[in-house]
Amino acid sequence: MIDLGRLRALHAVAVYGSVGSAADALGYTPSAISQQLAKLERETRTALLEKRGRGIVLTDAAQQLAATAGQVLQLVEEAELTLEEQRGQAIGTLVLAAFPTAARGLLPAVLPKLIDEHPALDVRVSETDPYEAVAAVGRGEIHIAIVHDWHNTPLTLPDDLSRVKLGTDPADILVPASHRLAGKESVRADDLVGERWICQPVGSICHDWLIRTMRKAGVEPEVVYSVAEYQTQLAMLAQGIGIGLLPRLGRGPLPPGVVAVPLQPAPSRRLYAVWRTATTRRPAIAATLAALKAGWKSRDTA
């Protein structure tokens, strides 16, 4: 009988394109994946890998076996879901992903209650950007992801994923206290012409939002400080460097020397929990979604 773990390793190599990437996805070392594939070759008496250039690729036989392995793994998952559903308890491992400010501003209040109410549930957290998190949910690496988007930068989901809205998170323009806009009651996009921005790196949702928003106002924003972490942005603003737009979730108190100025129209991002539709009936999914919704509601009414 073919070992299921070895089939999983082969399938991961087929999906991710290399032994190293498969190892990262499964949480193993590349050496461990290679050993699994070598054992599978002996077990099936079939060559699964061949050298091509400086790397290795799957043989045609391996590609066929990997496709069958995908079907087998789906059946195994279906069996596990059925058993867990029959037990009616949130059990097993659940990997929860969140972008940084949600990890800081929401999860610390949610996790203790979730763990206390469901002691058989092994909750693990991965801090992940929304774009990457959606892809990881689709691949089954992450069970639930907290993601966000903006009204002019919607997050598109594949057909096999579901989502529920948790809430909205307002954002403000942040400027040094000495800035010309610091005393304004509010500003509009055309007030920000010529400013030097601190913003998330290219490819992030927040960066996409800034570019689209300012371009709509006829302004090409000059992003001169590419900084992923909001706390680093705040530290730079406190020293009189640049301007930024920061949502309120996980932001914390503003440091001395930093002023929040409302932007009109007022921007806000929408927060969602995303999961694979096929796992909806899993009690662990239902329990975690309920905890996230309750955690947001309690935060929103605090």
mmCIF file of all heavy atoms in Angstrom, residues 125-144:
data_model
loop_
_atom_site.group_PDB
_atom_site.id
_atom_site.type_symbol
_atom_site.label_atom_id
_atom_site.label_comp_id
_atom_site.label_asym_id
_atom_site.label_seq_id
_atom_site.Cartn_x
_atom_site.Cartn_y
_atom_site.Cartn_z
ATOM 1 N N VAL A 125 -1.351 30.416 14.473
ATOM 2 C CA VAL A 125 -1.521 31.714 13.831
ATOM 3 C C VAL A 125 -0.357 31.996 12.891
ATOM 4 O O VAL A 125 0.802 31.746 13.228
ATOM 5 C CB VAL A 125 -1.640 32.840 14.873
ATOM 6 C CG1 VAL A 125 -1.649 34.212 14.196
ATOM 7 C CG2 VAL A 125 -2.903 32.658 15.703
ATOM 8 N N SER A 126 -0.692 32.517 11.724
ATOM 9 C CA SER A 126 0.304 32.917 10.738
ATOM 10 C C SER A 126 0.009 34.347 10.298
ATOM 11 O O SER A 126 -1.091 34.638 9.824
ATOM 12 C CB SER A 126 0.261 31.979 9.520
ATOM 13 O OG SER A 126 1.116 32.434 8.499
ATOM 14 N N GLU A 127 0.971 35.251 10.475
ATOM 15 C CA GLU A 127 0.792 36.635 10.039
ATOM 16 C C GLU A 127 1.090 36.706 8.539
ATOM 17 O O GLU A 127 2.210 36.452 8.109
ATOM 18 C CB GLU A 127 1.735 37.550 10.819
ATOM 19 C CG GLU A 127 1.467 39.027 10.593
ATOM 20 C CD GLU A 127 2.339 39.916 11.459
ATOM 21 O OE1 GLU A 127 2.036 40.052 12.665
ATOM 22 O OE2 GLU A 127 3.337 40.449 10.934
ATOM 23 N N THR A 128 0.071 37.059 7.752
ATOM 24 C CA THR A 128 0.172 36.944 6.302
ATOM 25 C C THR A 128 -0.579 38.077 5.620
ATOM 26 O O THR A 128 -1.682 38.447 6.041
ATOM 27 C CB THR A 128 -0.423 35.601 5.822
ATOM 28 O OG1 THR A 128 0.106 34.535 6.607
ATOM 29 C CG2 THR A 128 -0.095 35.346 4.361
ATOM 30 N N ASP A 129 -0.008 38.637 4.560
ATOM 31 C CA ASP A 129 -0.662 39.668 3.764
ATOM 32 C C ASP A 129 -1.910 39.085 3.095
ATOM 33 O O ASP A 129 -1.928 37.900 2.731
ATOM 34 C CB ASP A 129 0.308 40.179 2.704
ATOM 35 C CG ASP A 129 -0.298 41.274 1.845
ATOM 36 O OD1 ASP A 129 -0.362 42.416 2.308
ATOM 37 O OD2 ASP A 129 -0.730 40.971 0.702
ATOM 38 N N PRO A 130 -2.979 39.895 2.921
ATOM 39 C CA PRO A 130 -4.229 39.360 2.353
ATOM 40 C C PRO A 130 -4.078 38.630 1.031
ATOM 41 O O PRO A 130 -4.675 37.566 0.841
ATOM 42 C CB PRO A 130 -5.097 40.613 2.199
ATOM 43 C CG PRO A 130 -4.646 41.491 3.320
ATOM 44 C CD PRO A 130 -3.166 41.272 3.416
ATOM 45 N N TYR A 131 -3.331 39.173 0.079
ATOM 46 C CA TYR A 131 -3.186 38.492 -1.202
ATOM 47 C C TYR A 131 -2.610 37.091 -1.014
ATOM 48 O O TYR A 131 -3.094 36.107 -1.580
ATOM 49 C CB TYR A 131 -2.263 39.296 -2.129
ATOM 50 C CG TYR A 131 -2.861 40.565 -2.687
ATOM 51 C CD1 TYR A 131 -2.069 41.684 -2.932
ATOM 52 C CD2 TYR A 131 -4.212 40.650 -3.003
ATOM 53 C CE1 TYR A 131 -2.602 42.853 -3.451
ATOM 54 C CE2 TYR A 131 -4.758 41.811 -3.520
ATOM 55 C CZ TYR A 131 -3.948 42.913 -3.747
ATOM 56 O OH TYR A 131 -4.482 44.066 -4.269
ATOM 57 N N GLU A 132 -1.548 36.990 -0.226
ATOM 58 C CA GLU A 132 -0.907 35.698 0.013
ATOM 59 C C GLU A 132 -1.825 34.776 0.805
ATOM 60 O O GLU A 132 -1.858 33.560 0.571
ATOM 61 C CB GLU A 132 0.405 35.900 0.762
ATOM 62 C CG GLU A 132 1.446 36.703 -0.013
ATOM 63 C CD GLU A 132 2.679 36.996 0.823
ATOM 64 O OE1 GLU A 132 2.745 36.518 1.970
ATOM 65 O OE2 GLU A 132 3.574 37.702 0.327
ATOM 66 N N ALA A 133 -2.570 35.354 1.758
ATOM 67 C CA ALA A 133 -3.436 34.539 2.607
ATOM 68 C C ALA A 133 -4.544 33.876 1.801
ATOM 69 O O ALA A 133 -4.864 32.706 2.013
ATOM 70 C CB ALA A 133 -4.038 35.404 3.716
ATOM 71 N N VAL A 134 -5.141 34.618 0.863
ATOM 72 C CA VAL A 134 -6.212 34.048 0.041
ATOM 73 C C VAL A 134 -5.681 32.862 -0.771
ATOM 74 O O VAL A 134 -6.327 31.809 -0.854
ATOM 75 C CB VAL A 134 -6.813 35.116 -0.891
ATOM 76 C CG1 VAL A 134 -7.697 34.482 -1.957
ATOM 77 C CG2 VAL A 134 -7.621 36.126 -0.085
ATOM 78 N N ALA A 135 -4.503 33.021 -1.349
ATOM 79 C CA ALA A 135 -3.915 31.924 -2.117
ATOM 80 C C ALA A 135 -3.640 30.718 -1.228
ATOM 81 O O ALA A 135 -3.866 29.568 -1.620
ATOM 82 C CB ALA A 135 -2.624 32.391 -2.793
ATOM 83 N N ALA A 136 -3.157 30.963 -0.004
ATOM 84 C CA ALA A 136 -2.838 29.875 0.921
ATOM 85 C C ALA A 136 -4.099 29.156 1.389
ATOM 86 O O ALA A 136 -4.092 27.937 1.581
ATOM 87 C CB ALA A 136 -2.055 30.407 2.113
ATOM 88 N N VAL A 137 -5.191 29.892 1.576
ATOM 89 C CA VAL A 137 -6.462 29.254 1.927
ATOM 90 C C VAL A 137 -6.908 28.341 0.789
ATOM 91 O O VAL A 137 -7.345 27.208 1.007
ATOM 92 C CB VAL A 137 -7.552 30.303 2.239
ATOM 93 C CG1 VAL A 137 -8.923 29.638 2.381
ATOM 94 C CG2 VAL A 137 -7.222 31.060 3.516
ATOM 95 N N GLY A 138 -6.785 28.831 -0.432
ATOM 96 C CA GLY A 138 -7.172 28.031 -1.584
ATOM 97 C C GLY A 138 -6.381 26.739 -1.708
ATOM 98 O O GLY A 138 -6.913 25.716 -2.142
ATOM 99 N N ARG A 139 -5.105 26.784 -1.287
ATOM 100 C CA ARG A 139 -4.264 25.588 -1.359
ATOM 101 C C ARG A 139 -4.457 24.671 -0.163
ATOM 102 O O ARG A 139 -3.916 23.564 -0.124
ATOM 103 C CB ARG A 139 -2.789 25.995 -1.445
ATOM 104 C CG ARG A 139 -2.411 26.707 -2.733
ATOM 105 C CD ARG A 139 -0.901 26.835 -2.863
ATOM 106 N NE ARG A 139 -0.318 27.599 -1.787
ATOM 107 C CZ ARG A 139 -0.008 28.897 -1.855
ATOM 108 N NH1 ARG A 139 -0.250 29.568 -2.976
ATOM 109 N NH2 ARG A 139 0.546 29.518 -0.828
ATOM 110 N N GLY A 140 -5.214 25.120 0.839
ATOM 111 C CA GLY A 140 -5.444 24.307 2.023
ATOM 112 C C GLY A 140 -4.371 24.440 3.085
ATOM 113 O O GLY A 140 -4.407 23.729 4.090
ATOM 114 N N GLU A 141 -3.423 25.375 2.912
ATOM 115 C CA GLU A 141 -2.368 25.568 3.916
ATOM 116 C C GLU A 141 -2.901 26.310 5.129
ATOM 117 O O GLU A 141 -2.409 26.133 6.253
ATOM 118 C CB GLU A 141 -1.214 26.369 3.312
ATOM 119 C CG GLU A 141 -0.546 25.709 2.121
ATOM 120 C CD GLU A 141 0.356 26.681 1.396
ATOM 121 O OE1 GLU A 141 0.755 27.696 1.997
ATOM 122 O OE2 GLU A 141 0.673 26.421 0.224
ATOM 123 N N ILE A 142 -3.859 27.186 4.907
ATOM 124 C CA ILE A 142 -4.487 27.992 5.959
ATOM 125 C C ILE A 142 -5.974 27.676 5.952
ATOM 126 O O ILE A 142 -6.592 27.563 4.891
ATOM 127 C CB ILE A 142 -4.233 29.490 5.710
ATOM 128 C CG1 ILE A 142 -2.742 29.813 5.921
ATOM 129 C CG2 ILE A 142 -5.105 30.353 6.600
ATOM 130 C CD1 ILE A 142 -2.353 31.207 5.485
ATOM 131 N N HIS A 143 -6.555 27.532 7.129
ATOM 132 C CA HIS A 143 -7.975 27.179 7.212
ATOM 133 C C HIS A 143 -8.879 28.406 7.178
ATOM 134 O O HIS A 143 -9.931 28.388 6.519
ATOM 135 C CB HIS A 143 -8.236 26.369 8.485
ATOM 136 C CG HIS A 143 -7.471 25.088 8.524
ATOM 137 N ND1 HIS A 143 -6.401 24.866 9.370
ATOM 138 C CD2 HIS A 143 -7.602 23.958 7.782
ATOM 139 C CE1 HIS A 143 -5.923 23.648 9.166
ATOM 140 N NE2 HIS A 143 -6.624 23.082 8.209
ATOM 141 N N ILE A 144 -8.502 29.466 7.894
ATOM 142 C CA ILE A 144 -9.261 30.712 7.885
ATOM 143 C C ILE A 144 -8.267 31.862 7.817
ATOM 144 O O ILE A 144 -7.248 31.861 8.514
ATOM 145 C CB ILE A 144 -10.133 30.867 9.147
ATOM 146 C CG1 ILE A 144 -11.219 29.790 9.196
ATOM 147 C CG2 ILE A 144 -10.783 32.251 9.179
ATOM 148 C CD1 ILE A 144 -12.077 29.859 10.450
#
